[in-house]
Amino acid sequence: MKSIPFATFQHLHGLMDSEIRKALNDTYESGWFIDGQRLKQFEADYAKYCGAKYAVGCGNGEDAIELILRGYGIGEGDEVIVSSHTFIASVLAVSAVGATPILIEPEMDYYLIDPKLIEDKITAKTKAIIVVHLYGQACDMDKINEIAKKHNLKVIEDAAQAHGATYKGRKVGTLGDAAAFSFYPGKNLGAMGDAGAVVTNDEELAIKVKTYSNYGAKIKYHHEVKGVNSRLDEIQAAVLDVKLKYLDETNDWRKKIAQKYLEGIKNNKIVLPKIATYNEHVFHLFVIRCNERDRLQQYLKDNGIDTVIHYPIPIYMQNAYQELNNLNLVKSKELADTVLSLPLYYGMSDEEISYVIEKINSFV
């Protein structure tokens, strides 16, 4: 029996092994580990890659969202619209600033926030819309930006799963007022620990994010606001700058695997992901749906294929959000009950892909 992991770094890191080792060694030899040249270089390179003016490194993706909200003065008494089908960090960041998350159901073709449902939830307290480019595909940004402009709202991209994805030819990170990225190791662009960044064309916001993330200080020991410590360190910046050079290549590999899955999986029990015509999907995850998901997952496990559920419990049903437990978000619940993420990683062989397809097609 074959053994196929859900993900592995073996091939990815093998692709750039000598460069990563040199970057790590050079950082070690420099003796400078916080707020140095490697961070500045990565921030410049990542902003350029996204097509934006500014990138500000921070501790992680959740911090990135929180820093944007704080930079825009959003907090106690405000409401922020966010997709109900996402990782909980998208919503925790809203709670962290004291604002109230207003959950919007996804549309079922792409699993992304449904623009048709947003306007009915806007009140005098609404200050922003957080769009989550889930699984590697951008939301319908023209419709969302039109609504935001009409109601004078900020649009914040949670692009933690969509590094390099495009919407109508434009990269995510430049489709709203500001964007939050996570560089968690398993992301399309992953560090070797927690890491994140804010990307924006808004100079004032970039300065506020940088200040707030550095204990509220622009100048050491001169604290203008009650800030936090959320910085992207030199080691992670050095690693990310190496990996960034390979991002398009590794994304292309992911897209080819996804295309083979899309063409090869033919089982009427399986619902395959769809790609919007205006999007370039980078497949952070390849997520199928099955009404017998748990039995399918066990069947694949019995055949040596590792899978993951993203995400098994909707946010509104989590103990952490008991105040939302009275909601009845049927689409979010349906997705939580039926989604399953298949193995997909750089270096996955044709033989491994074919084996996964074969076993899924044999599921009865």
Side-chain angles (χ1 to χ4, degrees):
M1 183 178 70
K2 291 184 181 297
S3 178
I4 299 178
F6 174 71
T8 173
F9 297 117
Q10 178 184 354
H11 307 289
L12 178 68
H13 289 170
L15 177 68
M16 55 194 84
D17 181 79
S18 61
E19 291 177 76
I20 288 177
R21 289 179 185 275
K22 184 177 186 304
L24 291 170
N25 188 65
D26 288 351
T27 306
Y28 172 71
E29 292 290 345
S30 75
W32 194 289
F33 304 110
I34 296 289
D35 198 23
Q37 187 54 44
R38 286 159 189 81
L39 172 63
K40 293 178 177 62
Q41 186 64 57
F42 174 69
E43 288 174 335
D45 290 342
Y46 196 62
K48 182 179 179 181
Y49 176 83
C50 293
K53 292 181 180 177
Y54 309 101
V56 181
C58 62
N60 55 68
E62 182 184 334
D63 282 1
I65 301 173
E66 181 182 340
L67 290 165
I68 294 168
L69 292 169
R70 291 194 185 281
Y72 282 132
I74 296 169
E76 199 76 39
D78 296 330
E79 293 177 350
V80 176
I81 286 171
V82 61
S83 176
S84 60
H85 180 59
T86 180
F87 182 54
I88 197 170
S90 309
V91 180
L92 286 174
V94 177
S95 301
V97 301
T100 300
I102 305 298
L103 302 185
I104 302 291
E105 286 266 67
E107 44 68 40
M108 296 299 280
D109 279 343
Y110 312 116
Y111 317 141
L112 304 171
I113 191 169
D114 189 341
K116 298 190 297 297
L117 304 179
I118 292 175
E119 206 153 12
D120 286 345
K121 295 292 185 179
I122 294 174
T123 71
K125 296 180 179 179
T126 309
K127 294 296 187 291
I129 303 169
I130 296 176
V131 297
V132 184
H133 302 314
L134 200 67
Y135 303 152
Q137 176 164 216
C139 299
D140 193 344
M141 295 305 297
D142 284 352
K143 291 178 182 177
I144 293 165
N145 281 323
E146 184 180 343
I147 294 166
K149 185 176 180 182
K150 178 180 176 182
H151 295 276
N152 194 31
L153 306 177
K154 295 296 184 184
V155 175
I156 300 166
E157 298 174 75
D158 179 343
Q161 297 188 6
H163 313 75
T166 65
Y167 171 84
K168 297 185 178 180
R170 291 173 58 198
K171 280 194 173 72
V172 300
T174 62
L175 306 175
D177 293 288
F181 286 89
S182 165
F183 304 119
Y184 181 78
K187 303 298 187 184
N188 291 39
L189 179 61
M192 291 185 173
D194 278 318
V198 171
V199 172
T200 186
N201 287 319
D202 183 339
E203 182 180 17
E204 183 179 353
L205 176 70
I207 293 170
K208 286 181 177 179
V209 167
K210 186 74 171 177
T211 302
Y212 195 86
S213 67
N214 187 38
Y215 301 104
K218 292 177 188 172
I219 303 170
K220 196 169 185 177
Y221 303 131
H222 294 258
H223 305 278
E224 301 176 14
V225 293
K226 296 183 182 75
V228 297
N229 174 19
S230 180
R231 299 179 295 197
L232 177 61
D233 66 67
E234 289 287 280
I235 290 174
Q236 303 304 341
V239 169
L240 286 166
D241 215 33
V242 171
K243 287 190 170 186
L244 179 59
K245 295 185 289 185
Y246 293 90
L247 179 57
D248 288 340
E249 177 184 344
T250 54
N251 275 347
D252 284 345
W253 193 289
R254 303 181 80 88
K255 286 183 277 187
K256 287 174 183 174
I257 296 170
Q259 191 59 39
K260 288 173 182 174
Y261 278 156
L262 290 169
E263 293 172 357
I265 296 173
K266 300 183 189 301
N267 184 327
N268 59 16
K269 287 183 175 290
I270 306 299
V271 178
L272 293 170
K274 295 182 180 179
I275 307 172
T277 55
Y278 45 74
N279 276 339
E280 183 178 353
H281 197 319
V282 294
F283 287 98
H284 171 59
L285 298 169
F286 189 94
V287 181
I288 61 173
R289 287 161 52 203
C290 178
N291 288 332
E292 299 179 74
R293 188 267 313 284
D294 293 344
R295 190 166 71 85
L296 172 62
Q297 185 176 40
Q298 185 60 51
Y299 162 81
L300 293 173
K301 182 179 179 181
D302 291 344
N303 283 278
I305 299 169
D306 191 19
T307 60
V308 177
I309 300 170
H310 296 92
Y311 300 97
I313 305 172
I315 292 167
Y316 79 97
M317 295 179 69
Q318 295 282 355
N319 190 56
Y321 280 100
Q322 292 182 40
E323 68 272 23
L324 302 177
N325 288 174
N326 63 326
L327 297 177
N328 185 27
L329 303 179
V330 293
K331 292 180 181 178
S332 299
K333 182 65 167 64
E334 180 182 342
L335 290 176
D337 290 342
T338 60
V339 294
L340 188 66
S341 300
L342 301 184
L344 193 158
Y345 48 86
Y346 178 82
M348 192 175 183
S349 70
D350 287 343
E351 183 183 6
E352 290 170 325
I353 298 164
S354 296
Y355 181 73
V356 175
I357 292 170
E358 174 198 335
K359 291 305 174 186
I360 290 176
N361 286 344
S362 299
F363 177 69
V364 294

Short mmCIF file of all heavy atoms in Angstrom, two decimals, residues 4-17 19-20 185-190 243 245-258 260-261 282-286 342-350 352-353:
data_model
loop_
_atom_site.label_atom_id
_atom_site.label_comp_id
_atom_site.label_asym_id
_atom_site.label_seq_id
_atom_site.Cartn_x
_atom_site.Cartn_y
_atom_site.Cartn_z
N ILE A 4 0.72 8.34 1.18
CA ILE A 4 0.78 9.68 0.61
C ILE A 4 0.40 10.69 1.68
O ILE A 4 -0.73 10.69 2.18
CB ILE A 4 -0.17 9.80 -0.60
CG1 ILE A 4 0.26 8.79 -1.68
CG2 ILE A 4 -0.18 11.23 -1.15
CD1 ILE A 4 -0.62 8.78 -2.91
N PRO A 5 1.34 11.55 2.08
CA PRO A 5 1.04 12.54 3.11
C PRO A 5 0.12 13.63 2.57
O PRO A 5 0.02 13.83 1.35
CB PRO A 5 2.42 13.12 3.44
CG PRO A 5 3.18 13.00 2.16
CD PRO A 5 2.70 11.71 1.53
N PHE A 6 -0.54 14.32 3.48
CA PHE A 6 -1.34 15.48 3.05
C PHE A 6 -0.44 16.57 2.49
O PHE A 6 -0.75 17.22 1.50
CB PHE A 6 -2.17 16.01 4.22
CG PHE A 6 -2.91 17.27 3.87
CD1 PHE A 6 -4.00 17.24 3.01
CD2 PHE A 6 -2.51 18.50 4.39
CE1 PHE A 6 -4.67 18.40 2.67
CE2 PHE A 6 -3.18 19.66 4.05
CZ PHE A 6 -4.26 19.62 3.19
N ALA A 7 0.70 16.76 3.13
CA ALA A 7 1.68 17.76 2.69
C ALA A 7 3.06 17.37 3.19
O ALA A 7 3.19 16.65 4.18
CB ALA A 7 1.30 19.14 3.20
N THR A 8 4.08 17.84 2.50
CA THR A 8 5.46 17.62 2.92
C THR A 8 6.32 18.76 2.39
O THR A 8 6.04 19.31 1.32
CB THR A 8 6.00 16.28 2.40
OG1 THR A 8 7.40 16.20 2.72
CG2 THR A 8 5.84 16.14 0.90
N PHE A 9 7.36 19.12 3.15
CA PHE A 9 8.29 20.17 2.72
C PHE A 9 9.51 19.59 2.02
O PHE A 9 10.37 20.34 1.55
CB PHE A 9 8.76 20.98 3.94
CG PHE A 9 7.67 21.72 4.64
CD1 PHE A 9 7.35 21.42 5.95
CD2 PHE A 9 6.94 22.71 4.01
CE1 PHE A 9 6.34 22.09 6.62
CE2 PHE A 9 5.93 23.40 4.66
CZ PHE A 9 5.63 23.09 5.97
N GLN A 10 9.61 18.30 1.94
CA GLN A 10 10.81 17.65 1.44
C GLN A 10 11.23 18.16 0.06
O GLN A 10 12.38 18.57 -0.15
CB GLN A 10 10.59 16.14 1.38
CG GLN A 10 11.80 15.36 0.83
CD GLN A 10 11.51 13.87 0.69
OE1 GLN A 10 10.45 13.40 1.09
NE2 GLN A 10 12.45 13.15 0.12
N HIS A 11 10.33 18.13 -0.88
CA HIS A 11 10.66 18.53 -2.25
C HIS A 11 10.83 20.05 -2.37
O HIS A 11 11.73 20.53 -3.06
CB HIS A 11 9.57 18.06 -3.22
CG HIS A 11 9.27 16.60 -3.10
ND1 HIS A 11 10.15 15.63 -3.53
CD2 HIS A 11 8.20 15.95 -2.59
CE1 HIS A 11 9.62 14.44 -3.29
NE2 HIS A 11 8.45 14.60 -2.72
N LEU A 12 9.95 20.78 -1.68
CA LEU A 12 9.99 22.24 -1.74
C LEU A 12 11.32 22.76 -1.22
O LEU A 12 11.99 23.57 -1.87
CB LEU A 12 8.84 22.82 -0.93
CG LEU A 12 8.76 24.35 -0.85
CD1 LEU A 12 8.44 24.95 -2.21
CD2 LEU A 12 7.72 24.79 0.18
N HIS A 13 11.71 22.30 -0.05
CA HIS A 13 12.97 22.78 0.53
C HIS A 13 14.18 22.24 -0.21
O HIS A 13 15.23 22.89 -0.27
CB HIS A 13 13.03 22.43 2.02
CG HIS A 13 12.08 23.24 2.85
ND1 HIS A 13 11.82 22.98 4.17
CD2 HIS A 13 11.33 24.33 2.52
CE1 HIS A 13 10.95 23.87 4.63
NE2 HIS A 13 10.65 24.69 3.66
N GLY A 14 14.03 21.07 -0.83
CA GLY A 14 15.11 20.55 -1.67
C GLY A 14 15.38 21.42 -2.87
O GLY A 14 16.52 21.54 -3.33
N LEU A 15 14.33 22.07 -3.37
CA LEU A 15 14.45 22.95 -4.53
C LEU A 15 15.38 24.13 -4.26
O LEU A 15 16.07 24.61 -5.16
CB LEU A 15 13.05 23.46 -4.92
CG LEU A 15 12.92 24.46 -6.05
CD1 LEU A 15 13.28 23.81 -7.39
CD2 LEU A 15 11.50 25.03 -6.12
N MET A 16 15.38 24.59 -3.01
CA MET A 16 16.12 25.82 -2.68
C MET A 16 17.02 25.63 -1.46
O MET A 16 17.37 26.60 -0.79
CB MET A 16 15.10 26.95 -2.43
CG MET A 16 14.07 26.62 -1.37
SD MET A 16 12.64 27.74 -1.32
CE MET A 16 11.59 27.06 -2.59
N ASP A 17 17.43 24.41 -1.21
CA ASP A 17 18.14 24.06 0.02
C ASP A 17 19.38 24.92 0.25
O ASP A 17 19.56 25.51 1.32
CB ASP A 17 18.53 22.58 -0.03
CG ASP A 17 19.27 22.15 1.23
OD1 ASP A 17 18.59 21.92 2.25
OD2 ASP A 17 20.51 22.06 1.19
N GLU A 19 20.25 27.80 -0.97
CA GLU A 19 19.95 29.22 -0.79
C GLU A 19 19.39 29.50 0.59
O GLU A 19 19.73 30.52 1.22
CB GLU A 19 18.97 29.69 -1.87
CG GLU A 19 19.57 29.73 -3.26
CD GLU A 19 18.53 30.11 -4.30
OE1 GLU A 19 18.19 31.31 -4.38
OE2 GLU A 19 18.02 29.22 -5.01
N ILE A 20 18.52 28.61 1.08
CA ILE A 20 17.96 28.80 2.41
C ILE A 20 19.05 28.68 3.47
O ILE A 20 19.13 29.49 4.40
CB ILE A 20 16.83 27.79 2.68
CG1 ILE A 20 15.59 28.16 1.86
CG2 ILE A 20 16.46 27.76 4.17
CD1 ILE A 20 14.44 27.19 1.98
N PRO A 185 4.09 28.11 7.98
CA PRO A 185 4.90 27.23 7.12
C PRO A 185 4.17 26.51 5.99
O PRO A 185 4.73 26.31 4.92
CB PRO A 185 5.48 26.23 8.14
CG PRO A 185 5.60 27.02 9.39
CD PRO A 185 4.40 27.93 9.41
N GLY A 186 2.91 26.13 6.22
CA GLY A 186 2.19 25.38 5.19
C GLY A 186 1.58 26.22 4.09
O GLY A 186 0.99 25.67 3.14
N LYS A 187 1.70 27.54 4.16
CA LYS A 187 1.10 28.40 3.13
C LYS A 187 1.88 28.28 1.81
O LYS A 187 3.00 27.77 1.77
CB LYS A 187 1.12 29.86 3.59
CG LYS A 187 0.42 30.12 4.90
CD LYS A 187 -1.06 29.80 4.86
CE LYS A 187 -1.75 30.23 6.16
NZ LYS A 187 -3.17 29.84 6.20
N ASN A 188 1.29 28.78 0.74
CA ASN A 188 1.99 28.78 -0.56
C ASN A 188 3.33 29.48 -0.46
O ASN A 188 4.31 29.08 -1.09
CB ASN A 188 1.13 29.44 -1.63
CG ASN A 188 -0.10 28.61 -1.97
OD1 ASN A 188 -0.72 28.02 -1.10
ND2 ASN A 188 -0.45 28.55 -3.25
N LEU A 189 3.39 30.56 0.30
CA LEU A 189 4.65 31.20 0.67
C LEU A 189 4.76 31.08 2.18
O LEU A 189 4.11 31.82 2.92
CB LEU A 189 4.68 32.66 0.23
CG LEU A 189 5.96 33.43 0.59
CD1 LEU A 189 7.18 32.81 -0.07
CD2 LEU A 189 5.84 34.91 0.19
N GLY A 190 5.58 30.13 2.63
CA GLY A 190 5.63 29.83 4.05
C GLY A 190 7.00 30.07 4.66
O GLY A 190 8.03 29.80 4.05
N LYS A 243 12.28 32.06 -0.70
CA LYS A 243 11.11 31.33 -1.18
C LYS A 243 10.28 32.15 -2.17
O LYS A 243 9.66 31.59 -3.08
CB LYS A 243 10.25 30.88 -0.01
CG LYS A 243 10.85 29.73 0.80
CD LYS A 243 9.82 29.18 1.77
CE LYS A 243 10.30 27.90 2.40
NZ LYS A 243 9.25 27.28 3.26
N LYS A 245 11.20 33.99 -4.54
CA LYS A 245 11.71 33.84 -5.91
C LYS A 245 11.13 32.61 -6.61
O LYS A 245 11.12 32.54 -7.84
CB LYS A 245 13.24 33.76 -5.90
CG LYS A 245 13.93 35.03 -5.41
CD LYS A 245 15.44 34.94 -5.55
CE LYS A 245 16.05 33.97 -4.56
NZ LYS A 245 17.53 33.96 -4.60
N TYR A 246 10.68 31.65 -5.82
CA TYR A 246 10.17 30.39 -6.37
C TYR A 246 8.64 30.30 -6.32
O TYR A 246 8.08 29.28 -6.73
CB TYR A 246 10.76 29.21 -5.60
CG TYR A 246 12.24 29.04 -5.77
CD1 TYR A 246 13.14 29.67 -4.92
CD2 TYR A 246 12.75 28.24 -6.80
CE1 TYR A 246 14.52 29.51 -5.07
CE2 TYR A 246 14.12 28.06 -6.95
CZ TYR A 246 15.00 28.70 -6.09
OH TYR A 246 16.37 28.53 -6.24
N LEU A 247 7.99 31.35 -5.82
CA LEU A 247 6.54 31.25 -5.57
C LEU A 247 5.74 30.97 -6.83
O LEU A 247 4.86 30.10 -6.83
CB LEU A 247 6.04 32.54 -4.88
CG LEU A 247 4.54 32.57 -4.58
CD1 LEU A 247 4.11 31.39 -3.72
CD2 LEU A 247 4.17 33.89 -3.90
N ASP A 248 6.02 31.67 -7.91
CA ASP A 248 5.26 31.43 -9.14
C ASP A 248 5.47 30.01 -9.65
O ASP A 248 4.53 29.35 -10.11
CB ASP A 248 5.64 32.46 -10.21
CG ASP A 248 5.10 33.85 -9.90
OD1 ASP A 248 4.15 33.96 -9.10
OD2 ASP A 248 5.63 34.83 -10.47
N GLU A 249 6.70 29.54 -9.58
CA GLU A 249 7.01 28.17 -10.02
C GLU A 249 6.27 27.13 -9.18
O GLU A 249 5.68 26.18 -9.72
CB GLU A 249 8.52 27.93 -9.95
CG GLU A 249 8.94 26.51 -10.32
CD GLU A 249 10.43 26.27 -10.15
OE1 GLU A 249 11.19 27.26 -10.03
OE2 GLU A 249 10.84 25.09 -10.12
N THR A 250 6.29 27.30 -7.86
CA THR A 250 5.64 26.32 -7.00
C THR A 250 4.12 26.43 -7.09
O THR A 250 3.42 25.42 -6.98
CB THR A 250 6.12 26.46 -5.55
OG1 THR A 250 5.95 27.81 -5.10
CG2 THR A 250 7.60 26.10 -5.45
N ASN A 251 3.60 27.65 -7.31
CA ASN A 251 2.16 27.81 -7.54
C ASN A 251 1.74 27.10 -8.82
O ASN A 251 0.67 26.47 -8.87
CB ASN A 251 1.77 29.28 -7.62
CG ASN A 251 1.52 29.91 -6.25
OD1 ASN A 251 1.38 29.20 -5.25
ND2 ASN A 251 1.43 31.22 -6.21
N ASP A 252 2.55 27.21 -9.86
CA ASP A 252 2.23 26.53 -11.12
C ASP A 252 2.15 25.02 -10.92
O ASP A 252 1.30 24.35 -11.51
CB ASP A 252 3.29 26.86 -12.19
CG ASP A 252 3.13 28.26 -12.76
OD1 ASP A 252 2.06 28.87 -12.54
OD2 ASP A 252 4.08 28.75 -13.40
N TRP A 253 3.04 24.49 -10.09
CA TRP A 253 3.03 23.06 -9.79
C TRP A 253 1.71 22.68 -9.12
O TRP A 253 1.08 21.67 -9.46
CB TRP A 253 4.21 22.71 -8.89
CG TRP A 253 4.49 21.23 -8.77
CD1 TRP A 253 3.71 20.31 -8.12
CD2 TRP A 253 5.59 20.51 -9.31
NE1 TRP A 253 4.26 19.06 -8.21
CE2 TRP A 253 5.42 19.15 -8.94
CE3 TRP A 253 6.71 20.86 -10.06
CZ2 TRP A 253 6.33 18.15 -9.29
CZ3 TRP A 253 7.61 19.87 -10.40
CH2 TRP A 253 7.42 18.53 -10.03
N ARG A 254 1.28 23.51 -8.16
CA ARG A 254 0.02 23.25 -7.45
C ARG A 254 -1.16 23.28 -8.42
O ARG A 254 -2.07 22.44 -8.34
CB ARG A 254 -0.19 24.28 -6.34
CG ARG A 254 0.93 24.36 -5.32
CD ARG A 254 0.65 25.38 -4.24
NE ARG A 254 -0.26 24.84 -3.24
CZ ARG A 254 0.14 24.16 -2.18
NH1 ARG A 254 1.43 23.94 -1.95
NH2 ARG A 254 -0.75 23.69 -1.32
N LYS A 255 -1.13 24.23 -9.34
CA LYS A 255 -2.23 24.35 -10.30
C LYS A 255 -2.29 23.13 -11.23
O LYS A 255 -3.38 22.68 -11.61
CB LYS A 255 -2.08 25.65 -11.11
CG LYS A 255 -2.43 26.89 -10.30
CD LYS A 255 -2.34 28.16 -11.12
CE LYS A 255 -0.96 28.69 -11.19
NZ LYS A 255 -0.87 30.02 -11.84
N LYS A 256 -1.13 22.60 -11.59
CA LYS A 256 -1.10 21.41 -12.46
C LYS A 256 -1.66 20.19 -11.74
O LYS A 256 -2.37 19.37 -12.34
CB LYS A 256 0.33 21.17 -12.95
CG LYS A 256 0.79 22.18 -13.99
CD LYS A 256 2.26 22.00 -14.34
CE LYS A 256 2.72 23.07 -15.33
NZ LYS A 256 4.18 23.00 -15.59
N ILE A 257 -1.33 20.05 -10.46
CA ILE A 257 -1.89 18.94 -9.68
C ILE A 257 -3.40 19.09 -9.60
O ILE A 257 -4.16 18.12 -9.82
CB ILE A 257 -1.29 18.91 -8.26
CG1 ILE A 257 0.21 18.62 -8.31
CG2 ILE A 257 -2.01 17.86 -7.38
CD1 ILE A 257 0.93 18.81 -6.98
N ALA A 258 -3.86 20.30 -9.31
CA ALA A 258 -5.30 20.55 -9.22
C ALA A 258 -6.00 20.23 -10.53
O ALA A 258 -7.09 19.64 -10.53
CB ALA A 258 -5.55 22.01 -8.82
N LYS A 260 -5.13 18.08 -12.75
CA LYS A 260 -5.20 16.61 -12.90
C LYS A 260 -6.31 16.03 -12.03
O LYS A 260 -7.03 15.11 -12.46
CB LYS A 260 -3.85 15.99 -12.55
CG LYS A 260 -2.79 16.25 -13.62
CD LYS A 260 -1.41 15.77 -13.19
CE LYS A 260 -0.38 16.10 -14.28
NZ LYS A 260 1.00 15.79 -13.87
N TYR A 261 -6.48 16.56 -10.85
CA TYR A 261 -7.59 16.14 -10.00
C TYR A 261 -8.93 16.47 -10.68
O TYR A 261 -9.85 15.64 -10.71
CB TYR A 261 -7.53 16.84 -8.65
CG TYR A 261 -6.59 16.24 -7.63
CD1 TYR A 261 -6.07 17.03 -6.60
CD2 TYR A 261 -6.24 14.90 -7.63
CE1 TYR A 261 -5.24 16.51 -5.63
CE2 TYR A 261 -5.40 14.36 -6.67
CZ TYR A 261 -4.90 15.17 -5.67
OH TYR A 261 -4.07 14.63 -4.71
N VAL A 282 -4.71 29.58 -6.97
CA VAL A 282 -3.38 29.02 -6.69
C VAL A 282 -3.43 27.78 -5.78
O VAL A 282 -2.40 27.27 -5.38
CB VAL A 282 -2.43 30.08 -6.08
CG1 VAL A 282 -2.14 31.18 -7.10
CG2 VAL A 282 -3.00 30.67 -4.79
N PHE A 283 -4.62 27.32 -5.48
CA PHE A 283 -4.82 26.04 -4.80
C PHE A 283 -3.93 25.83 -3.59
O PHE A 283 -3.14 24.89 -3.53
CB PHE A 283 -4.70 24.88 -5.79
CG PHE A 283 -5.89 24.79 -6.71
CD1 PHE A 283 -5.83 25.33 -7.98
CD2 PHE A 283 -7.07 24.20 -6.28
CE1 PHE A 283 -6.94 25.28 -8.82
CE2 PHE A 283 -8.18 24.15 -7.11
CZ PHE A 283 -8.12 24.68 -8.38
N HIS A 284 -4.07 26.75 -2.63
CA HIS A 284 -3.49 26.45 -1.32
C HIS A 284 -4.05 25.12 -0.82
O HIS A 284 -3.32 24.32 -0.22
CB HIS A 284 -3.82 27.57 -0.33
CG HIS A 284 -3.46 27.26 1.08
ND1 HIS A 284 -2.17 26.98 1.46
CD2 HIS A 284 -4.21 27.15 2.21
CE1 HIS A 284 -2.13 26.72 2.76
NE2 HIS A 284 -3.35 26.80 3.23
N LEU A 285 -5.32 24.91 -1.10
CA LEU A 285 -5.97 23.65 -0.76
C LEU A 285 -6.83 23.19 -1.93
O LEU A 285 -7.40 24.00 -2.65
CB LEU A 285 -6.86 23.80 0.48
CG LEU A 285 -6.16 24.21 1.79
CD1 LEU A 285 -7.19 24.57 2.84
CD2 LEU A 285 -5.25 23.09 2.28
N PHE A 286 -6.91 21.87 -2.12
CA PHE A 286 -7.84 21.31 -3.10
C PHE A 286 -8.95 20.65 -2.29
O PHE A 286 -8.76 19.59 -1.69
CB PHE A 286 -7.16 20.29 -4.01
CG PHE A 286 -8.04 19.86 -5.16
CD1 PHE A 286 -7.96 20.49 -6.39
CD2 PHE A 286 -8.98 18.83 -5.00
CE1 PHE A 286 -8.78 20.11 -7.45
CE2 PHE A 286 -9.80 18.45 -6.05
CZ PHE A 286 -9.70 19.10 -7.27
N LEU A 342 -7.66 17.32 -0.14
CA LEU A 342 -6.83 16.23 -0.65
C LEU A 342 -5.34 16.59 -0.61
O LEU A 342 -5.00 17.78 -0.58
CB LEU A 342 -7.23 15.89 -2.08
CG LEU A 342 -8.68 15.46 -2.32
CD1 LEU A 342 -8.88 15.08 -3.79
CD2 LEU A 342 -9.08 14.31 -1.41
N PRO A 343 -4.46 15.60 -0.65
CA PRO A 343 -3.02 15.89 -0.70
C PRO A 343 -2.69 16.77 -1.91
O PRO A 343 -3.18 16.52 -3.01
CB PRO A 343 -2.39 14.50 -0.85
CG PRO A 343 -3.38 13.56 -0.27
CD PRO A 343 -4.73 14.15 -0.61
N LEU A 344 -1.87 17.77 -1.67
CA LEU A 344 -1.42 18.67 -2.75
C LEU A 344 -0.19 19.40 -2.26
O LEU A 344 -0.26 20.18 -1.31
CB LEU A 344 -2.54 19.65 -3.12
CG LEU A 344 -2.36 20.44 -4.42
CD1 LEU A 344 -3.70 20.95 -4.94
CD2 LEU A 344 -1.41 21.62 -4.25
N TYR A 345 0.95 19.13 -2.90
CA TYR A 345 2.20 19.77 -2.47
C TYR A 345 3.20 19.74 -3.61
O TYR A 345 3.11 18.92 -4.53
CB TYR A 345 2.79 19.04 -1.25
CG TYR A 345 2.86 17.54 -1.37
CD1 TYR A 345 3.93 16.91 -1.99
CD2 TYR A 345 1.82 16.74 -0.89
CE1 TYR A 345 4.00 15.53 -2.11
CE2 TYR A 345 1.86 15.36 -1.00
CZ TYR A 345 2.95 14.75 -1.61
OH TYR A 345 3.00 13.40 -1.73
N TYR A 346 4.12 20.70 -3.56
CA TYR A 346 5.18 20.75 -4.56
C TYR A 346 5.98 19.46 -4.53
O TYR A 346 6.39 18.99 -3.46
CB TYR A 346 6.11 21.94 -4.31
CG TYR A 346 7.25 22.00 -5.30
CD1 TYR A 346 7.06 22.56 -6.55
CD2 TYR A 346 8.49 21.45 -4.99
CE1 TYR A 346 8.09 22.58 -7.48
CE2 TYR A 346 9.53 21.47 -5.91
CZ TYR A 346 9.32 22.04 -7.15
OH TYR A 346 10.34 22.04 -8.07
N GLY A 347 6.18 18.86 -5.69
CA GLY A 347 6.94 17.62 -5.79
C GLY A 347 6.09 16.38 -5.81
O GLY A 347 6.61 15.27 -5.95
N MET A 348 4.78 16.54 -5.67
CA MET A 348 3.89 15.38 -5.73
C MET A 348 3.99 14.76 -7.11
O MET A 348 3.87 15.44 -8.13
CB MET A 348 2.46 15.82 -5.43
CG MET A 348 1.49 14.70 -5.18
SD MET A 348 -0.15 15.33 -4.70
CE MET A 348 -1.00 13.78 -4.41
N SER A 349 4.21 13.45 -7.17
CA SER A 349 4.47 12.78 -8.44
C SER A 349 3.18 12.43 -9.18
O SER A 349 2.11 12.34 -8.56
CB SER A 349 5.29 11.50 -8.21
OG SER A 349 4.48 10.53 -7.56
N ASP A 350 3.30 12.21 -10.48
CA ASP A 350 2.15 11.78 -11.27
C ASP A 350 1.59 10.46 -10.74
O ASP A 350 0.37 10.25 -10.73
CB ASP A 350 2.54 11.62 -12.75
CG ASP A 350 2.75 12.95 -13.44
OD1 ASP A 350 2.30 13.98 -12.89
OD2 ASP A 350 3.37 12.96 -14.53
N GLU A 352 1.63 9.40 -7.63
CA GLU A 352 0.88 9.68 -6.40
C GLU A 352 -0.47 10.30 -6.72
O GLU A 352 -1.50 9.94 -6.12
CB GLU A 352 1.70 10.59 -5.49
CG GLU A 352 2.92 9.92 -4.89
CD GLU A 352 3.84 10.88 -4.19
OE1 GLU A 352 3.98 12.04 -4.65
OE2 GLU A 352 4.45 10.48 -3.17
N ILE A 353 -0.47 11.25 -7.65
CA ILE A 353 -1.73 11.91 -8.05
C ILE A 353 -2.69 10.88 -8.61
O ILE A 353 -3.88 10.86 -8.26
CB ILE A 353 -1.45 13.02 -9.08
CG1 ILE A 353 -0.55 14.11 -8.49
CG2 ILE A 353 -2.77 13.65 -9.57
CD1 ILE A 353 0.09 15.01 -9.53
#
